[in-house]
Amino acid sequence: MRKKEMMAMLLAGGQGSRLGILTMDKAKPAVAFGGKYRIIDFPMSNCVNSGVETVGILTQYQPLTLNQHIGIGVPWDLDTRNGGVATLAPHMREGEVGEWYSGTANAIYQNIDYIDANNPEYVLILSGDHIYKMDYSAMLKYHKEHNCDVTIAVLEVSMEEASRFGIMNADENDKIYEFEEKPEHPKSNLASMGIYIFTWDKLRAALIEDNKIHSDSDFGKHIIPSMLEKSMTLYAYRFKDYWKDVGTIESYWAANMELIKTLPEFNLYEYFWKIYTKSDLQPPMYSGINSDIKTSIVSEGCQVEGTVHHSVLSKNVTIEEGAIVKDSIIMENCHIGKNTIIERCIIDQNTVIGSNVKMGIGENVPNEEKPHIYNTGITVIGNNTIVPDNLEIGKNCVIYGNTKPENYENNKLESGKSVIIMEGAI
């Protein structure tokens, strides 16, 4: 078989638990973003725009939504015989017991046969849950010019933030001599982005060796330190453009809000580096005679009779007359009733909010059940939820399920409270 220059392995199996109710029944990379996209569309589109034609997507947690979105890769022109896209769930190898992916490197180890079948010279390892645009072909050129065994993409962060990341300590030529995982006293500010290019034969040997030692083999904890100990050639590749980890409710909300600025730092409208996605044909967006839309993203199929300010609406959202939506994210197929006010909320898909509801009001009290997730004043409504008429709902609230008026004492849900109909949803 003819050797392929580079293929990608995209790690997309994470739960994304810090996104709370939004990832109850889907993996983080499958969460909607920017009106018409899902988070995984960004690394997938980067692959296509960089000329990477073979992509293995490693799934694990709640993969159904993600698998349906990816399909056979048509939106990204990855429906080809020579390469294309493959979804790779944990499976049983001959002579071994089947097991879940237990670490980032373990996930790649379990798919050595798939990589070997594609016969690449280099393997690009990606995370499926970051928002950015990056030319991986430029990183590969850098990898070859420096005759690297491993090239690690890095961002320069502030020294105050550095302790939150895996930090690469490198010399004046960016050759890495030390890796520190979330150091208390960092020596540099070169933070790993979790994007690696490995020369495949070197990585293959390292994976097999480390699997004998660590059942939870991980790139940051095991593979990278081991390669450094063996004096392999590792270089840092500096990335200086927009990159966002939307791993928390606040960061997810803020990244969406950044898109609707007059001059957004992250531009979705550039023709030369398109972001591709699965996109069904939808009717045009309609705004009624009394509608008022300002500084917002409003997707196809939306019907707006009310007010939408500084918000992101996915496809097929209905905003009835007199309703006001501000500083909020409304995902596809949602319905907002008459005279309802929504402020600083995230509403997941297929949800119905009744009439005369006031949501996102009151004091910023952290959520009683999950204060580490819901604490920045954003109220979150899970998918397929029904919220009755005539309610007042506070900040940092979580609502999920087919709720009834009797679920709300005195027609109110105080800030920091939750109504969860399905056990274990939050």
Side-chain angles (χ1 to χ4, degrees):
M1 179 181 177
R2 182 176 62 87
K3 191 172 256 318
K4 192 167 293 182
E5 184 172 48
M6 184 167 73
M7 65 175 292
M9 296 292 279
L10 202 161
L11 301 168
Q15 180 177 355
S17 58
R18 292 178 301 161
L19 286 178
I21 202 83
L22 298 179
T23 54
M24 183 193 72
D25 59 0
K26 55 183 171 288
K28 179 180 168 184
V31 173
F33 184 84
K36 66 179 294 183
Y37 305 101
R38 294 186 185 269
I39 295 172
I40 198 171
D41 291 335
F42 295 87
M44 288 280 286
S45 297
N46 288 339
C47 285
V48 173
N49 292 328
S50 302
V52 180
E53 298 177 344
T54 302
V55 182
I57 300 178
L58 285 70
T59 62
Q60 180 156 281
Y61 171 80
Q62 295 282 16
L64 180 59
T65 301
L66 191 62
N67 291 345
Q68 290 174 334
H69 179 68
I70 294 165
I72 60 172
V74 173
W76 304 274
D77 287 332
L78 289 173
D79 52 329
T80 61
R81 288 187 179 182
N82 183 24
V85 65
T87 54
L88 306 166
H91 59 279
M92 188 176 294
R93 290 160 57 95
E94 185 177 356
E96 295 185 7
V97 177
E99 58 183 14
W100 291 109
Y101 297 145
S102 57
T104 53
N106 175 263
I108 303 301
Y109 168 80
Q110 290 196 43
N111 289 281
I112 282 178
D113 291 346
Y114 169 73
I115 300 173
D116 282 343
N118 282 283
N119 197 27
E121 188 170 356
Y122 307 102
V123 173
L124 170 68
I125 308 294
L126 303 171
S127 172
D129 52 9
H130 298 141
I131 306 298
Y132 65 109
K133 296 179 181 180
M134 184 175 183
D135 185 354
Y136 304 133
S137 66
M139 185 175 172
L140 177 60
K141 181 181 178 184
Y142 179 91
H143 180 89
K144 292 192 289 188
E145 286 175 347
H146 291 79
N147 196 27
C148 294
D149 298 310
V150 189
T151 299
I152 301 171
V154 297
L155 278 173
E156 293 184 25
V157 299
S158 68
M159 291 302 291
E160 291 74 21
E161 291 182 293
S163 60
R164 295 173 40 228
F165 296 89
I167 295 297
M168 303 295 148
N169 297 321
D171 65 18
E172 65 276 11
N173 297 314
D174 285 335
K175 184 176 182 180
I176 299 167
Y177 60 84
E178 185 181 27
F179 171 78
E180 296 181 287
E181 180 67 31
K182 298 181 180 179
E184 186 176 349
H185 302 290
K187 301 172 188 174
S188 86
N189 65 341
L190 297 182
S192 171
M193 298 169 64
I195 299 171
Y196 314 102
I197 292 179
F198 288 90
T199 301
W200 172 234
D201 60 351
K202 301 294 180 63
L203 175 59
R204 190 182 192 280
L207 291 171
I208 293 171
E209 179 181 342
D210 197 69
N211 183 66
K212 298 173 183 176
I213 306 169
H214 303 110
S215 60
D216 60 345
S217 185
D218 182 86
F219 286 112
K221 294 177 182 177
H222 306 124
I223 300 296
I224 301 300
S226 174
M227 288 182 159
L228 283 170
E229 286 178 9
K230 294 176 180 177
S231 300
M232 291 189 179
T233 304
L234 287 77
Y235 270 79
Y237 177 78
R238 295 176 185 253
F239 182 71
K240 297 182 179 180
D241 212 330
Y242 182 97
W243 180 87
K244 186 78 73 174
D245 180 353
V246 288
T248 66
I249 291 293
E250 172 67 20
S251 64
Y252 173 80
W253 177 86
N256 274 273
M257 293 299 106
E258 287 173 2
L259 296 176
I260 57 182
K261 293 179 180 178
T262 303
L263 294 173
E265 185 181 354
F266 188 68
N267 190 348
L268 289 174
Y269 307 102
E270 294 172 327
Y271 183 78
F272 68 93
W273 199 270
K274 289 184 177 180
I275 303 300
Y276 300 93
T277 189
K278 180 182 178 182
S279 185
D280 301 326
L281 290 174
Q282 303 292 333
M285 186 275 285
Y286 172 78
S287 59
I289 191 169
N290 295 317
S291 65
D292 179 14
I293 303 172
K294 292 180 180 176
T295 324
S296 297
I297 292 175
V298 181
S299 303
E300 302 101 319
C302 289
Q303 298 182 48
V304 179
E305 300 284 355
T307 297
V308 178
H309 288 179
H310 202 250
S311 295
V312 176
L313 273 56
S314 294
K315 64 183 180 182
N316 295 329
V317 170
T318 298
I319 310 294
E320 290 201 29
E321 190 171 357
I324 299 172
V325 176
K326 290 184 177 180
D327 301 318
S328 295
I329 302 166
I330 316 293
M331 299 187 199
E332 63 183 71
N333 301 320
C334 287
H335 189 110
I336 311 299
K338 289 184 178 180
N339 302 315
T340 282
I341 299 174
I342 307 288
E343 291 193 22
R344 199 173 163 86
C345 295
I346 300 173
I347 301 178
D348 208 347
Q349 61 190 35
N350 304 317
T351 287
V352 176
I353 309 296
S355 299
N356 301 305
V357 174
K358 294 180 180 179
M359 184 179 295
I361 62 175
E363 297 183 9
N364 184 18
V365 178
N367 188 268
E368 287 183 349
E369 298 181 50
K370 298 283 185 178
H372 61 292
I373 294 177
Y374 310 101
N375 54 36
T376 57
I378 300 169
T379 282
V380 184
I381 315 299
N383 63 4
N384 300 295
T385 290
I386 296 177
V387 177
D389 299 339
N390 305 312
L391 297 179
E392 292 185 6
I393 297 168
K395 300 180 185 294
N396 296 315
C397 292
V398 182
I399 303 175
Y400 179 86
N402 184 6
T403 68
K404 308 290 186 182
E406 53 266 30
N407 299 128
Y408 303 87
E409 187 176 350
N410 298 321
N411 291 332
K412 289 185 178 180
L413 186 65
E414 301 289 346
S415 292
K417 302 287 187 179
S418 302
V419 174
I420 306 294
I421 299 303
M422 181 180 292
E423 185 179 354
I426 183 174

